[in-house]
Amino acid sequence: MPGRQAKILSTDNCGDLLVFASTTRHPLRNRLIVLLSIKAGLRAAEIANLTWEMVLTPAADIGPAIELDDRVAKKSGGRLIPIHPDLAEALSHLRRQTEAAGPIIRSQRGGPMSPVSIVNWFANAYRTIGLQGCSSHSGRRTFITRAARLVHNAGASLRDVQLLAGHRSIQTTQRYIDGDTDAQRKLVSLI
């Protein structure tokens, strides 16, 4: 898929991805991989390198936001991302089952998963559920597009979406956002 953007996921596609994760050998870990992509907009490398210290409070509770370190983010674009309730619940569940130190997403051998392993996990998941044109970046594009469509509901701006995405340029953020043909039809009918 060189030169083409990863496809945006529908609500049903996201549900299918979560169902797929639940059928795997490591359902909770894989659910977290999906949620970190679609509910926090993280890249594969950011998912792979996310550590407990970035999501826990000093009291070792799940915090209100992911504090993504510069060393983990692309181009040292660390950022603060509020944690979605579904993601907080999955993190809390994993927190009760594992040691809350080091990487959150671990391989079968217990070490950190590599970014390539995350990319391959998504490729296998999309192939298995029959979604074409999707990649590990589809969840991120979905997160950014949904956030952009909802900015007015939250009293936010496209700048807020840019900050959540960790983009240096608003133009980069705009390239991630898919148009909505239904909304365009409604808009034109109002003119």
Side-chain angles (χ1 to χ4, degrees):
M1 196 170 68
R4 299 180 62 178
Q5 288 188 315
K7 290 191 177 175
I8 302 291
L9 303 170
S10 70
T11 302
D12 287 344
N13 297 155
C14 292
D16 292 343
L17 201 52
L18 289 167
V19 167
F20 171 78
S22 74
T23 67
T24 61
R25 186 185 295 178
H26 303 285
L28 182 54
R29 178 201 69 186
N30 295 338
R31 178 177 176 76
L32 270 168
I33 290 171
V34 173
L35 291 173
L36 287 165
S37 180
I38 63 176
K39 298 294 186 182
L42 298 187
R43 300 170 177 96
E46 294 167 342
I47 293 169
N49 293 305
L50 188 68
T51 64
W52 283 107
E53 71 178 5
M54 295 180 212
V55 300
L56 294 178
T57 67
D61 297 318
I62 302 300
I66 297 170
E67 296 178 20
L68 198 65
D69 289 348
D70 283 347
R71 64 184 161 80
V72 170
K74 185 177 178 180
K75 296 183 181 179
S76 298
R79 58 198 183 275
L80 198 65
I81 305 163
I83 296 179
H84 187 278
D86 294 346
L87 180 54
E89 181 181 333
L91 285 165
S92 292
H93 191 66
L94 184 64
R95 166 72 183 88
R96 289 189 295 274
Q97 295 180 5
T98 62
E99 177 186 351
I104 293 174
I105 305 299
R106 295 180 182 267
S107 70
Q108 287 180 268
R109 294 184 178 141
M113 278 184 80
S114 70
V116 170
S117 295
I118 301 290
V119 169
N120 291 338
W121 185 90
F122 276 110
N124 179 56
Y126 291 126
R127 186 173 43 257
T128 302
I129 62 178
L131 295 178
Q132 296 180 356
C134 295
S135 74
S136 61
H137 227 55
S138 291
R140 179 170 168 75
R141 284 201 68 225
T142 300
F143 172 82
I144 293 168
T145 295
R146 286 184 181 170
R149 289 179 183 166
L150 296 170
V151 291
H152 65 283
N153 293 348
S157 70
L158 195 53
R159 171 78 172 135
D160 295 304
V161 178
Q162 176 193 355
L163 293 171
L164 288 171
H167 291 146
R168 292 182 182 191
S169 160
I170 197 89
Q171 287 81 12
T172 303
T173 304
Q174 289 173 321
R175 286 194 303 266
Y176 272 72
I177 301 167
D178 237 17
D180 183 340
T181 53
D182 289 338
Q184 292 168 9
R185 274 193 221 83
K186 289 176 189 173
L187 183 61
V188 169
S189 72
L190 296 173
I191 297 174

